[in-house]
Amino acid sequence: MTVKAMIDEWYPVGLLSQLDLKGRKTALMDEPIDVALDADGNARVTGGNGRTLPVRVRYGHVWASLGEPKKELFDIPEADQPGRRFVDVGVVRVRCSPLRAVENFLDIAHFPFVHTDILGAEPHTEVQNYKVEIREEEDEVWATQVKFYQPQAAKSASGGITTEYMYRVPAPTCSVLYKTCPPRPGEWDVITLFVQPLAEDLCDVWPWMALFDDESSMTDLIHFQQTIFLQDRSILENQIPRLLPLDPGMEIPTRADLTSVAYRRWLKRHNYTYGAQLVAQ
Amino acid sequence: MKLYDYILSPSCYKVRLMASLTGVKLDIRPVDFHPGTEHRSPELLALNPAGSIPILEDGDLVLTESSAMLAYLAAKAAPEWLAGSRPEEAARVQQWLSFSGRLTASLGGARLHEMLLRPGDIGALQTQGVAALRELEAGLFEQSMRGMRFLAAERPTIADIACFPYVALAPDGGVSLDPYPTIRLWSRAVRSLDQFLEMPGIHRLHELKPEPHVEGSEA
Amino acid sequence: MPVALSVDLPAGTVVPARLPAGSVALWRSASGRPAASADRCPHRGMRLSHGFVRGEALSCIYHGWSYGQAGHCLRIPAHPRLAPPETIRVTTHRVEESDGLIWIAVGNPLSQPPRLTGFAPLRSLTVLAGVAAIEAAAGAKASLEGLLELSEDARNICLLLSAQDDGETLAHVLIKGEAGPADRVAASRTAESLRRKAEGLQKKEITQ
């Protein structure tokens, strides 16, 4: 485990809409932190030794870093696009590695078995070839042309369709998913997974969405996403080992897992190993 | 019949499950319990001053206790889910309906703490949860000796539906179900019922469907 | 090691079991054959005891990879036309079933599991206490094979104990011959009382 390389990254630590003066005690990579509003109404995050941490407020969430971020918080251009509805899904705690939570989000092959009759269903289990790359300029992992048959792809979908996905990993514990938007062909719905690493084997997950959907109520949208994520939670808490194995040999990837292969390679390259297991045990 | 519902609430799930098993159509009104705490909004407090969900509304009948909702659905649509005329059976249904409150307090409390960060003494909640699971395991074992697969009879009753959700979701609160073979058999029997409905955290029994056939093979 | 009662593993199901080496997925195929494999799918590490049994194969709940009784991977649903390579397999353990109990071989035992002469298994209990505390609670010593005969008024009951790696003990309650339902219920309650006593003794020992 190395904290070092990941310490300068940005992490979600709370929902802006739920902050108050009293504050919220939480943790970031084993360090207790406090997230609160100050007298001027600005978000303030305090580290374990009382120091004030760098803060950003974006995508409905408060972001903080324990170190000195060398990069600005990653951009999601769709967050400023008119006509989208922004959905704060709320926090869910999971007893798993933050990296395992992200990797599961990048996976489509589990849809028929874990999100049965919503995001997938037998016999439509085949994963077609798709494209994966590490984009050097942005330093992000991208998977594109990911296609999967889905019985109910979104709250706004009725009946089965083949959905197209694009995945993006802009930070070690964050992923952005672009997905065919049933009511608006040509546009992409944006669904994100922001993961706050509390410890190497414990995380708070903050899903967030920017959707084109004028029909569904906000509560329906929240419940749809909570349903999906809670179906994953019981998987994530039962993977052995808890930490994500970065060395080959411990787990067996196939062609369907190329996004995960690239993600693991990218983590290793940057020494993003908080929540990872390096030596096969 | 209108159900004020939260998709992740095991108590709301009891009512959805019972409605599905008995063929009752519910008008679902989703409540933003988390993160919105809508159950404590003026509109919902006016219906249920206790600030809990589920709430079941049918004409001027407003129910706020899930066990009462199960009894109401069964009485209306499928009386075979209620206790029969045998005094022991009637007593066992009541016994386990009351017991289900302990499951909510212990396993439900642990789940809210571990999953949605609600306050609570997690160690105490888990210990109480284990004690409740042991009682249920022993009770189900004794029923099996009487030739009965379910809590009060050979057939499932509202008592089984009242107990099933918090038990099946115990691992969400960090309480393992591994040590309870009889609970496992019972849980499987409940999940195999016709028109059984899942909720997040309770996966489909994929074995109930045959393996899809694939043509051709590449090496 | 006795890990489960035969009745607790119906055809077409999988349950978790514990060995000193770790957790095991114990399953019975549709045709009734018991098998045991490591409780970890080699694909993504998911516990196979959370999976499902179809026909003669055990499948992982995460991605549906299925394994035969000998541990080789039979099917990868994400690539339905691919024959999984021979190298993908889960470790398996030898399983024996006799007198209503399922045994998993630890290491390479030369003999068959011991017979339960005159006794039949009733139910399995996990005790949060070691064998010593259970012996103290029962006022009797367990045999080398882990058989503990209860004294006094519970002479028709016997416990088959196996120590777990975390200080817990798996106890299979055995009952003599032709017991009726009332005797069986009584025996179950006796075993519960003994567990309470043993766990009380264990706690006392820890706090002292």
Side-chain angles (χ1 to χ4, degrees):
Chain A
M1 179 267 276
T2 340
V3 176
K4 249 199 194 139
M6 276 169 75
I7 213 143
D8 294 333
E9 296 288 325
W10 293 103
Y11 299 100
V13 293
L15 270 180
L16 179 67
S17 59
Q18 298 214 318
L19 276 200
D20 54 23
L21 295 168
K22 210 171 80 214
R24 164 174 185 269
K25 288 196 188 321
T26 173
L28 194 53
M29 300 168 83
D30 300 295
E31 180 172 338
I33 61 167
D34 194 70
V35 186
L37 282 185
D38 65 15
D40 301 328
N42 296 317
R44 187 187 168 90
V45 183
T46 319
N49 54 2
R51 73 191 193 284
T52 301
L53 301 182
V55 167
R56 295 289 180 275
V57 176
R58 195 86 170 92
Y59 319 130
H61 291 76
V62 179
W63 299 77
S65 174
L66 291 174
E68 295 160 6
K70 294 179 186 66
K71 281 200 310 191
E72 195 39 66
L73 176 66
F74 57 86
D75 191 29
I76 304 176
E78 292 78 8
D80 303 312
Q81 200 177 1
R84 285 187 187 262
R85 292 173 71 195
F86 304 108
V87 187
D88 297 343
V89 178
V91 68
V92 178
R93 178 159 296 174
V94 190
R95 202 158 283 283
C96 77
S97 152
L99 308 178
R100 284 239 192 234
V102 171
E103 185 177 76
N104 172 73
F105 187 73
L106 301 174
D107 178 69
I108 56 170
H110 72 284
F111 288 172
F113 300 97
V114 179
H115 309 295
T116 313
D117 291 345
I118 305 175
L119 300 186
E122 289 183 293
H124 309 282
T125 55
E126 182 159 17
V127 176
Q128 310 282 347
N129 287 345
Y130 54 87
K131 287 205 158 65
V132 183
E133 60 186 324
I134 297 176
R135 295 193 179 167
E136 300 295 340
E137 196 172 319
E138 297 93 342
D139 193 22
E140 295 183 353
V141 181
W142 275 81
T144 54
Q145 300 174 30
V146 185
K147 295 190 189 71
F148 207 70
Y149 174 84
Q150 304 200 314
Q152 195 202 340
K155 191 70 208 172
S156 56
S158 54
I161 47 170
T162 295
T163 309
E164 189 171 343
Y165 280 59
M166 290 193 291
Y167 287 98
R168 175 185 167 207
V169 183
T173 70
C174 294
S175 180
V176 183
L177 157 65
Y178 299 85
K179 178 175 182 178
T180 315
C181 171
R184 205 173 300 196
E187 291 284 359
W188 300 88
D189 274 338
V190 172
I191 301 172
T192 71
L193 197 76
F194 301 148
V195 182
Q196 174 184 356
L198 301 167
E200 285 203 276
D201 60 355
L202 187 67
C203 53
D204 278 351
V205 178
W206 306 86
W208 179 81
M209 305 190 286
L211 309 175
F212 288 111
D213 182 339
D214 301 324
E215 299 290 313
S216 311
S217 74
M218 190 57 100
T219 303
D220 277 334
L221 296 173
I222 292 172
H223 288 189
F224 184 79
Q225 203 52 32
Q226 287 186 350
T227 296
I228 301 301
F229 189 68
L230 265 293
Q231 290 177 331
D232 288 318
R233 187 176 180 270
S234 62
I235 300 288
L236 290 169
E237 296 205 332
N238 284 290
Q239 280 175 282
I240 305 166
R242 278 247 159 89
L243 302 186
L244 182 77
L246 283 187
D247 286 328
M250 186 77 186
E251 294 184 352
I252 304 169
T254 72
R255 242 184 317 117
D257 301 313
L258 287 182
T259 318
S260 130
V261 171
Y263 174 58
R264 290 185 186 201
R265 191 181 304 143
W266 181 77
L267 289 174
K268 207 170 171 181
R269 179 203 282 185
H270 289 290
N271 246 331
Y272 291 149
T273 54
Y274 185 83
Q277 175 177 295
L278 274 164
V279 180
Q281 284 167 350
Chain B
M1 227 182 289
K2 188 170 179 181
L3 177 69
Y4 290 78
D5 179 54
Y6 177 45
I7 189 76
L8 300 186
S9 153
S11 291
C12 294
Y13 169 58
K14 290 178 190 180
V15 184
R16 295 197 303 272
L17 175 57
M18 194 72 221
S20 176
L21 291 167
T22 54
V24 174
K25 183 112 183 58
L26 291 175
D27 171 18
I28 300 276
R29 155 69 162 84
V31 176
D32 182 8
F33 177 91
H34 176 82
T37 57
E38 192 193 353
H39 53 299
R40 291 198 217 110
S41 67
E43 184 204 341
L44 269 90
L45 286 175
L47 270 176
N48 178 15
S52 64
I53 48 170
I55 304 167
L56 188 70
E57 209 180 13
D58 194 16
D60 75 342
L61 179 72
V62 178
L63 300 175
T64 59
E65 294 293 335
S66 61
S67 290
M69 297 174 205
L70 300 183
Y72 183 61
L73 289 174
K76 271 199 104 152
E80 65 275 18
W81 284 83
L82 298 170
S85 55
R86 289 180 54 237
E88 293 86 352
E89 190 178 305
R92 285 203 176 102
V93 168
Q94 289 304 320
Q95 168 76 21
W96 292 112
L97 283 178
S98 299
F99 173 85
S100 70
R102 278 177 50 205
L103 295 172
T104 311
S106 58
L107 297 173
R111 183 172 176 270
L112 281 176
H113 182 277
E114 292 295 275
M115 202 167 93
L116 302 183
L117 321 189
R118 299 298 150 107
D121 178 348
I122 186 63
L125 291 169
Q126 289 173 336
T127 304
Q128 289 154 16
V130 168
L133 287 174
R134 283 179 165 195
E135 271 182 60
L136 183 72
E137 170 81 9
L140 283 165
F141 171 78
E142 294 188 4
Q143 280 293 87
S144 75
M145 291 299 104
R146 299 178 190 111
M148 299 182 188
R149 268 187 312 157
F150 293 95
L151 280 170
E154 167 50 21
R155 66 180 198 290
T157 64
I158 54 174
D160 296 284
I161 305 308
C163 291
F164 171 76
Y166 283 101
V167 170
L169 295 165
D172 278 350
V175 177
S176 171
L177 286 173
D178 290 0
Y180 311 105
T182 319
I183 288 178
R184 201 155 28 238
L185 293 172
W186 166 76
S187 173
R188 194 181 159 77
V190 172
R191 291 170 68 189
S192 304
L193 293 170
D194 193 31
Q195 298 305 312
F196 176 80
L197 187 78
E198 291 130 24
M199 78 163 268
I202 301 173
H203 291 296
R204 177 77 48 91
L205 285 182
H206 293 290
E207 58 269 47
L208 299 182
K209 261 170 93 181
E211 181 125 340
H213 180 70
V214 181
E215 290 188 22
S217 176
E218 70 185 62
Chain C
M1 204 162 154
V3 290
L5 266 57
S6 296
V7 291
D8 289 333
L9 186 69
T13 62
V14 56
V15 303
R18 280 158 66 188
L19 289 185
S23 183
V24 162
L26 177 66
W27 59 286
R28 193 191 294 278
S29 71
S31 72
R33 286 173 58 202
S37 83
D39 196 7
R40 180 177 185 277
C41 178
H43 174 223
R44 281 287 169 264
M46 181 61 196
R47 288 181 68 188
L48 282 170
S49 59
H50 287 235
F52 55 96
V53 178
R54 269 183 190 156
E56 303 301 298
L58 170 67
S59 298
C60 179
I61 186 72
Y62 198 2
H63 299 94
W65 288 30
S66 39
Y67 300 91
Q69 300 237 330
H72 51 282
C73 182
L74 301 172
R75 190 173 83 102
I76 297 176
H79 307 296
R81 283 179 295 273
L82 175 89
E86 281 285 325
T87 47
I88 305 182
R89 49 188 309 127
V90 287
T91 312
T92 57
H93 303 270
R94 203 176 105 206
V95 176
E96 297 284 346
E97 190 167 21
S98 69
D99 297 329
L101 272 180
I102 301 173
W103 300 71
I104 300 183
V106 179
N108 226 334
L110 297 171
S111 58
Q112 292 292 307
R115 303 301 304 257
L116 314 174
T117 346
F119 282 91
L122 186 69
R123 60 177 292 213
S124 309
L125 296 177
T126 299
V127 188
L128 306 180
V131 171
I134 299 171
E135 288 177 331
K141 285 275 172 208
S143 73
L144 273 178
E145 283 159 349
L147 271 176
L148 181 76
E149 290 188 46
L150 300 196
S151 45
E152 293 155 30
D153 44 297
R155 289 202 180 279
N156 64 332
I157 315 172
C158 179
L159 298 183
L160 180 59
L161 304 177
S162 41
Q164 314 275 331
D165 51 346
D166 54 3
E168 299 178 4
T169 306
L170 180 62
H172 303 291
V173 184
L174 313 178
I175 188 163
K176 203 171 253 176
E178 309 280 298
D183 291 333
R184 289 165 174 269
V185 167
S188 164
R189 291 180 184 175
T190 302
E192 297 257 347
S193 297
L194 183 72
R195 172 165 72 178
R196 248 186 309 278
K197 198 171 166 192
E199 290 180 350
L201 290 173
Q202 181 82 28
K203 216 178 254 168
K204 232 182 186 168
E205 194 169 285
I206 290 167
T207 47
Q208 270 169 5

